């Protein structure tokens, strides 16, 4: 088997796993608990920051989910998920593949505030409010873009939807997506895909980062 993916349930590595599943590739998934396990010397030899995703393809090691998406598409896609250089939609494809991170940085910060910082005294209501607002602003951009569109590109589903779809999967835990009807329908369209479902943990899987239905009504 050529591909190995280092993964934590519903972390950004889900973006990579989902794309691999869309591409129908074989992969060995090495699953970590989200936390200290990522800082072992063995893993730091692959990813210098001890984060996920990290993908190994034979001699090649890559970390950074947007770059991994580009690499997987240009190496393994038969033309459906990729928009190759020269394709008229290439610039838009690149923009949305990487816009996924514009969304996810806010959810990552909110994850830190609501989950990773276990002592409530150390959490910041101000950071939480600010990051929620910034996440919502970034979702508003999608809401406008998705008027009369089913997917980010006019030509249809692509790896950009995988990247952004993952961001919404986590973003919906921190703000009510139904407030954005186009985005809500778009997320549900993506979440009904088999490859998406295959990338989710089992309901009772151990070591999940997110164990509540959402974090915007509580704490
Ligand atoms: N921009 C990077 C971010 C990678 C990242 O920060 N991953 C998080 C999971 S969503 C992580 O591994 N965090 C563990 C930690 O910070 O200790 C990417 O998209 O690959």
């Amino acid at each position: 088997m050529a591909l190995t993916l280092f993964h934590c349930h519903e972390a950004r590595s889900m973006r990579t796993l989902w794309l691999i599943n869309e591409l129908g590739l074989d992969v060995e998934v090495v699953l970590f608990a989200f936390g200290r396990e990522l800082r072992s010397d063995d893993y730091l030899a692959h990813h210098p920051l001890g984060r996920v995703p990290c993908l190994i393809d034979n001699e090649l090691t890559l970390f950074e989910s947007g770059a991994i998406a580009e690499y997987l598409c240009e190496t393994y896609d038969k033309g459906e998920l990729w928009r190759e250089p020269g394709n008229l939609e290439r610039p838009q494809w690149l923009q949305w593949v990487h816009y996924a991170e514009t969304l996810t940085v806010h959810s990552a910060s909110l994850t830190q505030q609501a989950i990773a910082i276990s002592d409530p005294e150390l959490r910041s209501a101000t950071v939480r409010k600010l990051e929620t607002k910034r996440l919502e602003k970034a979702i508003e951009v999608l809401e406008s873009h998705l008027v009369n569109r089913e997917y980010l590109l006019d030509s249809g589903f692509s790896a950009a939807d995988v990247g952004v779809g993952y961001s919404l999967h986590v973003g919906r835990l921190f703000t009510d997506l139904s407030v954005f009807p186009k985005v809500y329908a778009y997320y549900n369209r993506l979440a009904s895909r088999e490859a998406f479902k295959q990338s989710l943990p089992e309901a009772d899987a151990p070591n999940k980062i997110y164990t509540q239905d959402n974090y915007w009504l509580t704490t």
Side-chain angles (χ1 to χ4, degrees):
M1 191 179 295
L3 296 180
T4 303
L5 175 65
F6 297 94
H7 176 50
C8 295
H9 289 314
E10 292 176 291
R12 285 170 175 97
S13 48
M14 180 177 156
R15 201 177 261 160
T16 310
L17 183 58
W18 177 7
L19 184 57
I20 287 171
N21 289 335
E22 291 283 355
L23 291 167
L25 303 173
D26 287 336
V27 64
E28 182 194 352
V29 175
V30 180
L31 191 64
F32 287 120
F34 191 71
R36 299 176 79 118
E37 226 182 273
L38 289 167
R39 302 291 192 270
S40 72
D41 288 344
D42 279 356
Y43 186 53
L44 287 170
H46 296 301
H47 191 314
L49 293 175
R51 300 188 190 180
V52 291
C54 176
L55 182 78
I56 298 182
D57 185 0
N58 291 304
E59 303 304 307
L60 177 73
T61 300
L62 278 180
F63 49 84
E64 198 59 54
S65 61
I68 293 172
E70 287 197 52
Y71 168 77
L72 285 173
C73 286
E74 70 189 42
T75 309
Y76 295 110
D77 184 42
K78 296 179 186 66
E80 287 166 17
L81 302 179
W82 193 33
R83 298 299 182 272
E84 72 288 356
N87 185 307
L88 283 180
E89 286 186 320
R90 169 75 174 177
Q92 297 295 320
W93 183 80
L94 284 171
Q95 173 185 281
W96 294 118
V97 163
H98 295 286
Y99 192 75
E101 272 301 273
T102 294
L103 288 156
T104 294
V105 287
H106 303 305
S107 302
S109 174
L110 288 162
T111 300
Q112 200 167 54
Q113 289 298 323
I115 300 168
I117 300 174
S118 52
D119 180 350
E121 294 278 300
L122 298 178
R123 294 176 179 172
S124 162
T126 308
V127 169
R128 198 162 175 180
K129 235 167 123 179
L130 186 70
E131 290 291 7
T132 303
K133 200 81 221 142
R134 284 165 68 80
L135 172 66
E136 288 164 353
K137 283 274 169 208
I139 294 173
E140 272 173 27
V141 170
L142 294 177
E143 184 69 9
S144 306
H145 183 72
L146 288 168
V147 173
N148 298 326
R149 283 191 183 90
E150 293 222 322
Y151 298 104
L152 294 170
L153 300 182
D154 290 336
S155 60
F157 182 75
S158 76
D161 298 298
V162 172
V164 168
Y166 162 74
S167 305
L168 294 174
H169 177 67
V170 177
R172 85 197 202 295
L173 301 174
F174 297 104
T175 190
D176 181 1
L177 268 200
S178 69
V179 168
F180 309 93
K182 302 277 173 211
V183 170
Y184 189 60
Y186 168 70
Y187 170 71
N188 285 316
R189 198 172 302 128
L190 295 175
S192 69
R193 298 181 71 87
E194 275 317 303
F196 171 88
K197 293 182 203 162
Q198 287 162 10
S199 316
L200 290 171
E202 299 287 330
D204 57 352
N207 297 321
K208 291 207 289 190
I209 304 171
Y210 306 105
T211 53
Q212 297 181 194
D213 288 344
N214 67 62
Y215 293 85
W216 42 270
L217 294 173
T218 56
T219 59

